[in-house]
Amino acid sequence: MSERKDGSIPTFPQVDEPGLTSSQVQERRDAGQVNKSQERSSRTLGQIVRANVFTLFNAIILGAMVVVLLTGQWKDAVFGLVIIINTGIGIATELKAKHTLDSLSILVASDYYVRRDGSNQRVSHDAIVRDDLLWIRSGDQIPADARIVESYGLELDESMLTGESRTVRKEPGDQAYSGSTAVSGMALAEVTAVGVGSYAARLTAKAKVFKKVHSDLNEGINTILKVMTVVVIPLCILLIFTQMRTVGGLQTALSNGSWRQAVVSAVAGVVGMIPEGLVLLTSLNFALAAIRLARKQTLVQQMESVETLARVDALNLDKTGTITDGGIVFESVHPLDPSGESDQDALVQPLVDVCAEENPNATGTAIMAGLPQVSPSGTVRARLPFSSARKWSAILDRSGRLWYFGAPEVLLASQPEAHPLVEAQVTDLANKGHRVLMLADGGTVRKSDADQDYFQEAEALPTDLIPRALISCSEHIREDAAPTLAWFREQGVRCRVISGDNPATVAAIADKVGLTGAAKPRAMDARDLPENLEELADVLESVDVLGRVLPDQKKAIVQALHLSGHTVAMTGDGVNDSLALKEADLGIAMGNAAPATKAVAEVVLVDSRFSHLPDVVARGRQVMANMERVAGLFLVKTVYSALISLGVVLTGIPFPYLPRHITYIGALTIGTPAFFLALAPNTRRYRPGFLKRVVAFALPSGFATGLTILAAAWIMPTLLVLDRGDSSDLNALRSICAIILFFMGVLVLAQVARPLRSWRGLLVLVFAAAGVIGACLPLVARFFAISIPQGRALAVTAVFVVAGGALMALAVLVYPPCARFISQLTSRR
């Protein structure tokens, strides 16, 4: 029973119950007895503000800014304004992402039908109230606890609650719990509990959109921040103590006011050690990726899922709704009785009758549409609706004759005698890509047994079925399936098709779309799969197509791939996919999927287009690859700032630059360039070991930079005859150190931006030129306390820049073999 294209209410069975009146509905709303959902597809305004504002490092930066302002050196507090601006950008971007995602969520929200004031009305999930009469249809996820009033062959999958994939048939008086899904039939039910008051509220919450997504990126960054927390606090205390000593001690500093300069110097070291923009840029990147995907009708229900996209190396595809568009077309009836008794015309009537359920599935609908000249006879005495778990249905007609309709292999498996000719014909049709079903004669039952409750006592298949006809149908293959699968093959993502249909049929369709390129797809019947997960993992390595897969097997397949170390994405649109989608690292649901399927998915393709998946994976790879670039950039600053601070503490010299210097340098060599680099196109495949590679880049570059600045601070006073105790000489020394640090920062930026024979090289040149030009502008130079050295000082500065570059090249060259040697030495111990 699908909704009509014009949006009108579909036809429901006639019932006498009028349902609640409008006044009764309002009473329950006033009493709070509404089915308010606790799940959201994006963070609230409060959560966004807290995540961007109330962080440990924002607190440190704000504290440092306040301290500097108390000294009266407001120019050296400008770094605090940068943090405020960045935080504002982060909040604004996430709010835009929230608005985009919430708007898109409306498109995939599921509505329900209730009976009120004697008519059937369409309402949203949250508009259902206690005591409502709710229509439960095939494919619906039950939104609230309810008691069945009238059942029309309703069967529920309660696996969300019980873990058992076996479907349960529901009769009047039975209880249906929220979180269950209707797999066949329909029913009218009275809502008994709503919202958080429902029996299954806490259980079903685990299957909704907020499944915690593991993030290698966030984990690596959090590790960096934890280490820095341990380093910053003691170094800050030591820096303040050291800088006080450089101006004559605490009493002298307090008496002559030089404590102000000592505090500012200490703050310079603290600010430099904090990778303040890294966390912001990460959340900014996730948010922008979600916005870009939303513009392509792809809803990311948890932003960290963007990163998971980059790690996917195994993609399990559900055939129907993914490779095919779900459209089924009836083709032909193939009589099986060679004697001629099974005349095609005589078989068409029972075929139409068995398909004419109250709420027929897609196959039944296609067969009836393909045989418009035959109408249901209305002589069906008893009916057992189709079940995806059984894979067959049955009717008892008025004459007492039984007819069974379903998957040939299932019907034939119950028979003691083999039917090799029938099996050969089934195989032949399936190998041609047809969906094959069988109509079988179950014989005639005694009149005393032929009542309307016959199938309540006889749900098992009889052992004397006579195959009468094979029915062939075909599926429409999506036009974008073949090029999309080709893209995944090129990107090294292993695709497997997992379906409940005949494996030969699925393999034929997979071959048509080039699932495995020029090679033939290797198919297997899921009934032959081992139950042991380790054995299953070994089998899956040599299988491309699996047919006749049950819902619990789909979940087991994902678990087995996890055992093999794969990052698994799973697509699906049916309720039988929901368990596997929940188990996968990334569940991808189609926009026309059942509510249960969309509820557990991290990503929803709103317009159900399979061709969006390359965009989805590519966006994830872009985020991971670019964030690795910029994380190295930020961490270099942390390393050299920590090394310089340690050198200052050990040697007792004034800090070699001011907070305003690091603000100027950081903006031109780290913060602003990182923004452009983070958003640049990047299709590099994901490689494990994000944190290890970032540290391997940051340590040699940061060490070389820090050592160069310390050398300049130690040696230049002698070379240039500068007195650190004299404020003008100290300012000149700090200005020179800041210039050297700027050029070292440009070298680090050039390393990160490689290859430079592109727009990235131009980016480095632009920011290098901006730094030089800015230092030549009087207003900028005065504000940031930068003066261009002249004569001998300029020559010495150039020598230190060249020496620093050579030291950096040497450090980068020597670090890898040294790291390998230390690793081998550690492993031997």
Side-chain angles (χ1 to χ4, degrees):
M1 179 173 300
S2 60
E3 189 171 344
R4 296 172 180 174
K5 292 182 179 180
D6 61 3
S8 60
I9 303 296
T11 304
F12 289 94
Q14 293 295 323
V15 293
D16 296 329
E17 291 84 354
L20 298 177
T21 64
S22 299
S23 59
Q24 289 173 325
V25 171
Q26 189 59 48
E27 288 175 3
R28 283 156 179 78
R29 286 175 181 164
D30 295 340
Q33 297 176 341
V34 292
N35 200 42
K36 283 291 183 183
S37 174
Q38 297 299 310
E39 298 82 18
R40 296 178 180 268
S41 62
S42 60
R43 293 195 289 183
T44 64
L45 174 60
Q47 289 171 328
I48 290 172
V49 171
R50 285 195 297 271
N52 283 277
V53 175
F54 299 106
T55 66
L56 171 64
F57 287 90
N58 273 6
I60 294 174
I61 291 293
L62 182 62
M65 183 180 74
V66 170
V67 168
V68 172
L69 288 174
L70 290 175
T71 67
Q73 304 289 330
W74 66 271
K75 292 180 181 179
D76 284 307
V78 71
F79 63 85
L81 297 178
V82 173
I83 296 301
I84 293 172
I85 293 170
N86 286 347
T87 302
I89 292 172
I91 293 174
T93 304
E94 286 209 45
L95 285 176
K96 184 176 181 180
K98 171 183 167 59
H99 174 73
T100 304
L101 297 181
D102 286 349
S103 299
L104 203 57
S105 294
I106 295 172
L107 299 178
V108 298
S110 299
D111 289 339
Y112 297 86
Y113 289 95
V114 295
R115 190 160 179 80
R116 294 176 179 172
D117 293 317
S119 64
N120 300 314
Q121 302 177 22
R122 180 177 176 176
V123 298
S124 66
H125 176 283
D126 292 355
I128 297 170
V129 300
R130 185 184 174 91
D131 302 323
D132 251 331
L133 288 180
L134 172 71
W135 285 106
I136 301 173
R137 303 184 296 161
S138 178
D140 282 349
Q141 182 183 48
I142 299 178
D145 292 357
R147 179 182 58 81
I148 304 299
V149 177
E150 296 288 346
S151 177
Y152 305 92
L154 178 68
E155 291 190 13
L156 295 183
D157 175 5
E158 297 181 338
S159 57
M160 287 286 187
L161 307 178
T162 66
E164 298 179 5
S165 59
R166 181 178 62 86
T167 58
V168 180
R169 189 170 184 179
K170 294 294 182 179
E171 301 295 341
D174 290 346
Q175 191 74 14
Y177 294 108
S178 61
S180 303
T181 51
V183 294
S184 65
M186 67 182 304
L188 183 67
E190 180 183 2
V191 175
T192 57
V194 291
V196 294
S198 64
Y199 170 77
R202 286 182 294 178
L203 292 177
T204 54
K206 296 178 181 179
K208 299 294 183 181
V209 296
F210 274 116
K211 183 180 77 174
K212 182 63 178 176
V213 175
H214 171 75
S215 170
D216 281 355
L217 188 57
N218 280 337
E219 186 177 302
I221 291 172
N222 287 337
T223 301
I224 295 171
L225 298 185
K226 287 176 184 177
V227 172
M228 290 314 304
T229 303
V230 176
V231 172
V232 164
I233 296 175
L235 262 182
C236 179
I237 296 171
L238 289 173
L239 274 173
I240 293 175
F241 175 74
T242 302
Q243 297 307 296
M244 287 294 183
R245 289 187 60 187
T246 63
V247 294
L250 180 60
Q251 290 184 348
T252 303
L254 291 175
S255 62
N256 61 18
S258 57
W259 64 272
R260 294 182 176 86
Q261 191 58 49
V263 169
V264 169
S265 298
V267 168
V270 173
V271 170
M273 283 185 283
I274 298 173
E276 68 279 349
L278 185 56
V279 178
L280 168 71
L281 205 56
T282 302
S283 60
L284 189 68
N285 229 341
F286 282 154
L288 290 176
I291 292 172
R292 288 176 176 177
L293 289 172
R295 289 172 181 166
K296 295 189 176 183
Q297 297 297 297
T298 301
L299 171 62
V300 178
Q301 303 204 94
Q302 194 172 353
M303 284 193 217
E304 286 79 1
S305 299
V306 172
E307 179 202 322
T308 310
L309 303 171
R311 305 200 311 267
V312 168
D313 62 357
L315 176 60
N316 293 346
L317 301 169
D318 181 45
K319 173 180 66 65
T320 306
T322 304
I323 294 178
T324 62
D325 61 10
I328 299 173
V329 179
F330 167 76
E331 290 191 346
S332 182
V333 175
H334 308 270
L336 292 173
D337 190 346
S339 66
E341 293 181 10
S342 295
D343 180 67
Q344 180 168 335
D345 294 337
L347 295 170
V348 167
Q349 188 61 61
L351 174 61
V352 171
D353 286 343
V354 77
C355 291
E357 298 179 7
E358 182 70 31
N359 192 24
N361 60 18
T363 304
T365 302
I367 290 173
M368 289 189 291
L371 297 168
Q373 71 278 14
V374 181
S375 301
S377 63
T379 60
V380 175
R381 189 177 184 87
R383 179 186 296 277
L384 185 63
F386 179 82
S387 162
S388 60
R390 283 193 310 270
K391 299 190 182 300
W392 57 270
S393 59
I395 60 169
L396 176 67
D397 65 21
R398 187 163 295 175
S399 66
R401 195 169 185 178
L402 289 165
W403 292 96
Y404 290 83
F405 178 66
E409 55 268 43
V410 175
L411 297 181
L412 294 176
S414 65
Q415 307 307 301
E417 295 182 6
H419 295 270
L421 295 178
V422 176
E423 292 173 356
Q425 194 167 348
V426 169
T427 302
D428 181 60
L429 288 169
N431 287 340
K432 295 176 181 177
H434 297 296
R435 173 179 288 189
V436 187
L437 299 109
M438 177 185 286
L439 180 68
D441 187 347
T444 305
V445 301
R446 294 179 302 176
K447 288 186 177 181
S448 58
D449 294 331
D451 57 35
Q452 293 182 357
D453 295 327
Y454 175 81
F455 288 110
Q456 288 188 353
E457 304 296 332
E459 282 201 18
L461 283 167
T463 58
D464 57 351
L465 289 179
I466 302 173
R468 293 297 188 191
L470 295 179
I471 294 86
S472 60
C473 299
S474 62
E475 294 185 70
H476 182 260
I477 296 175
R478 291 179 179 272
E479 295 179 357
D480 54 7
T484 302
L485 290 171
W487 185 89
F488 279 116
R489 283 199 312 275
E490 293 169 1
Q491 296 298 315
V493 178
R494 173 78 179 275
C495 294
R496 292 178 180 83
V497 180
I498 299 175
S499 174
D501 290 338
N502 184 299
T505 304
V506 184
I509 293 175
D511 190 32
K512 287 181 180 179
V513 295
L515 176 70
T516 51
K520 286 281 185 183
R522 294 162 294 182
M524 184 176 181
D525 193 313
R527 291 174 295 182
D528 298 328
L529 289 175
E531 294 186 3
N532 181 275
L533 289 181
E534 293 182 356
E535 295 177 7
L536 178 58
D538 292 335
V539 171
L540 289 175
E541 292 301 319
S542 58
V543 174
D544 304 304
V545 173
L546 284 165
R548 298 305 179 201
V549 183
L550 297 174
D552 56 339
Q553 285 182 306
K554 291 186 178 184
K555 178 181 177 181
I557 289 167
V558 174
Q559 291 173 328
L561 290 172
H562 282 156
L563 281 180
S564 300
H566 294 292
T567 301
V568 186
M570 174 85 191
T571 70
D573 64 347
V575 293
N576 60 332
D577 300 320
S578 57
L579 287 176
L581 262 66
K582 181 184 175 186
E583 188 67 27
D585 298 284
L586 188 74
I588 304 171
M590 300 296 164
N592 58 0
T597 310
K598 289 184 288 191
V600 302
E602 283 79 36
V603 174
V604 179
L605 304 180
V606 178
D607 57 3
S608 302
R609 291 183 62 185
F610 180 41
S611 56
H612 287 322
L613 284 182
D615 289 331
V616 170
V617 175
R619 191 63 62 194
R621 289 181 172 180
Q622 176 191 8
V623 169
M624 283 299 292
N626 285 341
M627 284 310 301
E628 186 172 317
R629 280 181 184 272
V630 300
L633 200 57
F634 280 99
L635 198 56
V636 166
K637 180 170 79 84
T638 299
V639 171
Y640 73 63
S641 296
L643 180 61
I644 292 170
S645 298
L646 184 62
V648 167
V649 168
L650 293 177
T651 58
I653 62 173
F655 206 86
Y657 50 80
L658 297 171
R660 70 186 82 171
H661 290 151
I662 199 65
T663 300
Y664 184 78
I665 295 165
L668 292 172
T669 64
I670 300 174
T672 313
F675 178 81
F676 290 101
L677 291 172
L679 301 179
N682 197 325
T683 57
R684 194 195 74 189
R685 297 180 188 178
Y686 171 78
R687 295 177 296 157
F690 160 79
L691 182 58
K692 183 178 179 180
R693 288 193 299 276
V694 169
V695 171
F697 172 82
L699 282 180
S701 299
F703 177 81
T705 302
L707 194 58
T708 301
I709 299 303
L710 284 174
W714 292 330
I715 299 172
M716 275 202 174
T718 302
L719 294 177
L720 301 178
V721 193
L722 298 174
D723 182 7
R724 294 192 189 97
D726 182 82
S727 60
S728 60
D729 283 357
L730 180 59
N731 288 338
L733 177 62
R734 283 172 168 166
S735 179
I736 292 172
C737 288
I739 290 171
I740 296 171
L741 181 60
F742 171 76
F743 282 105
M744 295 296 288
V746 170
L747 292 178
V748 174
L749 176 60
Q751 288 187 68
V752 170
R754 289 180 301 178
L756 297 178
R757 292 182 178 178
S758 65
W759 63 271
R760 293 187 181 91
L762 182 61
L763 178 80
V764 175
L765 287 176
V766 166
F767 281 102
V772 174
I773 294 171
C776 295
L777 297 175
L779 181 64
V780 176
R782 282 196 302 272
F783 186 89
F784 287 102
I786 300 173
S787 58
I788 304 297
Q790 304 293 325
R792 177 182 172 83
L794 181 61
V796 173
T797 302
V799 169
F800 269 92
V801 168
V802 173
L807 180 61
M808 182 176 293
L810 179 64
V812 170
L813 187 66
V814 170
Y815 179 81
C818 290
R820 285 194 297 270
F821 176 75
I822 294 172
S823 178
Q824 291 172 0
L825 198 64
T826 306
S827 61
R828 287 174 187 172
R829 293 180 180 178

